[in-house]
Amino acid sequence: RTVTLTQHWIKHGDYNRAIAYVDFEGMAEIVMAGAWEKMSQKEKNEIITFMKGLIKEKFPVITQRLKLLKFGAISGNGKQVMCETLAVFDHTTENKDQKIQIGLVKRDNEWKSVELYILREGFLAGLNEDKVSPILKRGGTPQDALAAVKVFFQ
């Protein structure tokens, strides 16, 4: 239901309703893994706000190329599930249909999208591995890591 409603609202251009089905705190926690527990609430709120703005900004870009999502099997446990999905693109572009998985978590009795898996690799976890972790390992601050994430999406 979560992914179906998200797709519905994205198609209708109502991005405020669509983002109600996204777990931004969970997304921020994945991106900032290794630093999340050490971050102040102000820093956490900053990355959560950034993720929310980013997703809202990217929804129109995604819908320009995405024709539809075909949802398949759901697997997982009671708190986390994966939804097998086929992303069907407008074939006037060079994009080919892509098998993806959408990771969902249960928060306050609601399912929320939290991660996108391409070839079984989490996009946000990869961002953490490629950008955030190296900065933290060499002694950088969560603010340094957040700055690198922001640059990545510019």
Side-chain angles (χ1 to χ4, degrees):
R1 181 172 184 253
T2 295
V3 289
T4 303
L5 286 171
T6 303
Q7 179 178 4
H8 171 79
W9 292 120
I10 290 170
K11 275 185 154 182
H12 287 88
D14 193 339
Y15 307 120
N16 287 324
R17 280 192 164 163
I19 64 174
Y21 299 99
V22 178
D23 180 4
F24 294 104
E25 183 174 345
M27 291 174 70
E29 194 170 348
I30 292 168
V31 170
M32 299 304 289
W36 188 254
E37 296 302 320
K38 300 170 194 159
M39 293 172 65
S40 69
Q41 191 58 51
K42 182 180 177 188
E43 291 171 320
K44 289 178 180 179
N45 290 344
E46 183 180 351
I47 185 82
I48 292 167
T49 300
F50 170 74
M51 297 304 293
K52 190 173 189 176
L54 177 69
I55 296 300
K56 193 173 179 181
E57 173 188 317
K58 296 298 180 190
F59 273 160
V61 175
I62 293 166
T63 57
Q64 288 173 1
R65 297 173 25 210
L66 185 65
K67 187 175 176 184
L68 67 103
L69 297 172
K70 291 182 182 178
F71 304 116
I74 295 177
S75 61
N77 61 36
K79 295 258 185 203
Q80 292 186 324
V81 297
M82 296 278 270
C83 179
E84 299 290 328
T85 308
L86 179 66
V88 179
F89 291 96
D90 178 349
H91 290 278
T92 60
T93 67
E94 294 180 21
N95 295 318
K96 296 183 180 184
D97 298 349
Q98 175 76 48
K99 287 183 182 179
I100 60 174
Q101 296 81 35
I102 299 171
L104 299 125
V105 295
K106 197 166 195 176
R107 296 247 193 218
D108 303 324
N109 293 325
E110 284 188 304
W111 288 100
K112 303 257 183 172
S113 301
V114 71
E115 176 70 289
L116 175 68
Y117 297 86
I118 302 170
L119 300 174
R120 303 262 182 228
E121 294 290 326
F123 176 75
L124 298 174
L127 183 59
N128 173 274
E129 187 178 317
D130 294 344
K131 301 290 180 195
V132 174
S133 287
I135 291 170
L136 297 175
K137 284 179 182 173
R138 67 175 181 257
T141 66
Q143 286 298 329
D144 297 333
L146 176 57
V149 170
K150 288 179 177 180
V151 167
F152 175 79
F153 283 109
Q154 288 180 343

